[in-house]
Amino acid sequence: MKIDGGCHCGAIRFTAEADPAKVALCHCSDCQSFSGAAWRASVPVLREHLVLEGEPKIYVKTADSGNKRLQGFCSACGSHIYATSPERAVFNIRLGAIRQRAELPPKMQGFCGSALPWASDITTVPHAPEKR
């Protein structure tokens, strides 16, 4: 599936080819902290299928395992764009940065041991039709 998107302010833009079957939610505590939410959704994209315009700011997070993850975000507006390894072979594009995000429902979840206890079912939370 062809996707495109970018940061909130437009300083960073991208186009890519993504497999909708690989969209995932991550419940790890790092993703909760980075996103300010209960989980973070992303879809992996191979480097050769990604065209990136603009220069993301990079924050390097070292996991408990010692693995390094490069977090790419806009230095102007703070929008998260991707995470990748130092080899930069696969980029996990953040769903919030993708224009077609409504067409990319999650197909799997990871690090569920860190999931917030209420995060698996929010269907009973009242719905507001408009922004508050």
Side-chain angles (χ1 to χ4, degrees):
M1 173 181 176
K2 190 77 164 170
I3 61 171
D4 66 273
C7 66
H8 191 267
C9 73
I12 298 171
R13 306 292 311 157
F14 62 83
T15 59
E17 189 68 32
D19 182 349
K22 294 187 176 180
V23 178
L25 296 179
C26 183
H27 292 277
C28 80
S29 57
D30 285 338
C31 281
Q32 291 173 17
S33 292
F34 284 133
S35 69
W39 55 79
R40 185 156 55 173
S42 63
V43 64
V45 170
L46 296 175
R47 174 64 187 129
E48 58 266 23
H49 296 155
L50 174 65
V51 176
L52 189 62
E53 300 170 17
E55 190 62 39
K57 176 85 173 157
I58 302 296
Y59 170 72
V60 179
K61 161 63 173 113
T62 303
D64 293 339
S65 65
N67 292 336
K68 297 193 181 316
R69 296 294 293 164
L70 286 65
Q71 308 291 323
F73 62 96
C74 178
S75 63
C77 69
S79 298
H80 293 238
I81 307 297
Y82 64 78
T84 188
S85 66
E87 298 78 34
R88 298 178 187 227
V90 176
F91 287 71
N92 289 310
I93 306 294
R94 303 307 182 201
L95 235 58
I98 300 171
R99 193 173 56 83
Q100 299 82 6
R101 61 186 165 265
E103 301 167 40
L104 295 165
K107 302 295 184 191
M108 63 190 94
Q109 300 181 59
F111 292 92
C112 295
S114 303
L116 299 176
W118 53 263
S120 64
D121 183 9
I122 60 170
T123 58
T124 61
V125 178
H127 293 79
E130 300 294 326
K131 295 189 275 186
R132 292 181 182 223

